[in-house]
Amino acid sequence: MTERPALGADGLLLNVDGISKHYEGVTALDDVGLQVRPAEIHALLGGNGAGKSTLINILSGLTLPDGGTITLSGHQLDLRRASDALGHGINTIHQELSLVPALTTLDNIFLGREVNARFLGMNVKLDRRRMEERVRALAAEFGLSQEDLKLPVGEFGALKKRVVEIVKALAFDTRLLILDEPTSGLEEEERLNLFEHMRRLREKGVSLIWVTHHLEELYGLADSATVFRDGRRVGTVNVSDTTVDDLLGMMFGIAAGEFGSTSSAPALAEVEVESREEVLRLTDVNRSYVLRDISLTVRQGEILGIAGLAGAGRTELARAIMGIDKISSGTVHWNGNPVKFSGSSAAYRKGLAMLPEDRKQLGILPELSVSENISISSLDRVSRLGFVLKSRDEVSQAESYRQRLGIKTADVREKIRNLSGGNQQKAIVARCLNTNPDLLIFDEPTQGIDVSAKVEVHNLIREFVANGGAAIVIASEIGELVELSHRVVIMKKGRLVGSVDNVPHALVSGQFEAVKNRILAMSAGRTES
Amino acid sequence: METTSSQKNQTIVDRVVTRLLVDPTLGVLALLVLICLLAAFTLPVFLNGSNLYNLVNNSLVVMILAMGMTVVLVSGGIDLSIGTTMALCAGVTAAAMNFGLPLFAALLAALAMGALVGLGNGLLITRLGLPDFIATLAMLGFASGVLYIWTKGVPIIGYMVPEFYIVGGLTPLAGPLTLPMVIALLVALVLGGILGFTRLGTHFFAVGSSKTGAMQSGVRVERVRMQAYIVSGLAAAVAGIIMAGRNTNVPADLGNGYEIQAIAAAVIGGAALSGGRGRILGAILGAITLAAAVNLINLVGVPSSYQKIVIGGILVAAVLANRISAVVSGKVRQRKAMVLEGIPA
């Protein structure tokens, strides 16, 4: 047991009191408080736009509050920049990765906290050997090899970057560790590994503030939970005294049970897809090093789920279908005709559309308005003679999507970056729908958005196929895939290794867990050589 | 074991080509060798010892500027004022000598002026929030205006003392070695050392690669950007001192066009205008390549007015080559990652 940090008179490690923050007339935080006891895991919950991220940015020194006090161990803090927070032992794992692509893993981990050695009598030279020695064991625990430490982070995929981020936060002495959705995109094993570390930190006397949208994760791990809604604090509870439904009720201000119960069989169970028209057929599609002998079909009115671990080639498959990446052999049939898309715009013209993974980097055009973001893929609908933009049409078109999809914004002319994640995602769905596609590919459609927005996005997908469209859904959460798909295929190392047909039927007969486990076994198991 | 077998399948030529495309520094080296080979067959005079010696000697000013520019590019900025700053610092050196100051005091004054201009750039960018391009373009205007008003358009003369002929490289230091060569080497060692082995260097790369990431990690982004401009201001001052000695007079337009050459040399050497990428060795080879290309067309007898067109063409080619190298290295990485994960080719 290490030394317990000194505490304030109130016995709290962190006491946030009366914090407010306004942005150009929008209230992000309204007089909120947060009390964290020593050595506890404190969950911070709330829907998109509840103000969690703003509070975290304030605690990590990135945002200055308009008013209020932050007290750590009885000392009032004045956090003006990130280094102030880090200097007080407040470490944050940000949702937006704080890694620098050009630097190596090692330099990233120690960025801002480098270790120097003497050189020509001056203490100026970086001591990379010592830095490496300090993190080697911790890095290995998370599957980062010594080789990985020397590679630029920009070469890693999203998952590995997340792991580096975690190692970076754990590598230094911490009194308060803030984790903003640390598990999003992580595989089961890394997730459990991270949870183990969180427990161990708590045993050492460190307190953790933990933001998550996966409420079931809280049980058995978090001690207490504070719920925010619309920039205000709703309340703080002991996690062991509550149920998921209680928490949902606090987060969204509605009683438990009002949510579309997502795990019940979808109404589409009766859909007989076998007889429907085939929209897309892939035959023995290969792409060097990435895809191997992929054959599959998608029918009208069908949602095809693609399961698999990170790196299994799911996104690569979607990109190959869209013509973004070239395929090296095999054929693609679209509505019965062989096609070769020379790029995604060709695919869009033929009636395919894709909702890319990683909304912030690939999806939204942050500086443009919501309405411009919606119309960008099909500008001819709002232009005359091929170039004149009819902005009034653009706005009214966006307005109709706003109502249909429930995009929460005061004005569709608002810049999209000012919307919460869930609403940004809905706007991107609107953009795809606006191209009037026959097939829509959703790559991680609900990553990083809250439970209620998730249900809404699911319903949008269901509605789209019910109206005659076809959809491919890629998701890491197997439960989500099972709830949504008619059929799930499983990818592993660039191949299709199995499929589960007629999923809705299986759900009706109460085999949710069985189906889930089967998919999990196929995507992770060592079934083939 | 799969790894080794699939790597063996690649021919050596394949691997050499990939390597050249992936590493910008090797790429520019290959370009340089190509120019030399081309010249060797068409114009044997090019490979003449004294021609090569002059070529390298003449490239030193651009080389020093390109090294400073590389630091700014790595940190995500661009310094359009670097040529004018060089001229201003040359003017300060000459004026200080004429004023009767001892040599080292004149040199210090020039360095101080360079640092001041760099600081000015940094302040315009970080305090007033101007884009780098605009701030340094404005600084180009200020500096060249000051120099014109101050000299009234008449070149500064009469400051040359014997030591100054050494500083400019007109009198060799020892044998064929000139002082500008030694200075360029020192600048290279210092800046290369900073970029590769110090906290500041890491921060230059970090800020250039991702400002948000750097800020969240506790890096003082604005201060680091300011430091990058001070480095390029100092590099301009060093180049200005050499220029004053080499040119034996300082006209107001001494620095015109040098910013383009400095940017071209840095980019040929692999620095990315988008930040986070660049190497001192690359800047050195870039400057020599640029000088070699200009030298070659001079020898062929193309009028010197065509030089700028050639520089522009090389710049375009270098940016394209940089992009190809980025794409190819991305593919190589992808292949490596897949091989590691056991996906067969």
Side-chain angles (χ1 to χ4, degrees), chain B residues 45-102:
Chain B
V45 192
F46 179 85
L47 287 187
N48 194 319
S50 69
N51 185 55
L52 287 181
Y53 175 78
N54 284 336
L55 186 159
V56 171
N57 227 355
N58 287 340
S59 71
L60 294 175
V61 167
V62 170
M63 188 184 291
I64 291 169
L65 293 178
M67 290 192 267
M69 185 65 79
T70 297
V71 171
V72 173
L73 289 174
V74 161
S75 73
I78 188 164
D79 188 355
L80 299 180
S81 69
I82 201 165
T84 328
T85 310
M86 173 184 83
L88 189 62
C89 294
V92 168
T93 317
M97 294 293 288
N98 278 343
F99 191 71
L101 290 183

Side-chain angles (χ1 to χ4, degrees), chain A residues 135-154:
Chain A
V135 290
R136 194 182 296 152
L138 181 69
E141 228 178 298
F142 280 89
L144 295 176
S145 64
Q146 269 172 269
E147 185 77 351
D148 287 335
L149 289 175
K150 296 191 179 99
L151 287 175
V153 164

Side-chain angles (χ1 to χ4, degrees), chain A residues 435-465:
Chain A
T435 64
N436 209 3
D438 298 320
L439 174 70
L440 237 173
I441 303 173
F442 296 90
D443 195 353
E444 300 286 359
T446 60
Q447 197 167 57
I449 65 179
D450 68 42
V451 189
S452 71
K454 201 167 178 169
V455 173
E456 284 168 4
V457 169
H458 283 181
N459 287 336
L460 288 177
I461 299 175
R462 292 201 181 98
E463 198 186 304
F464 170 69
V465 298

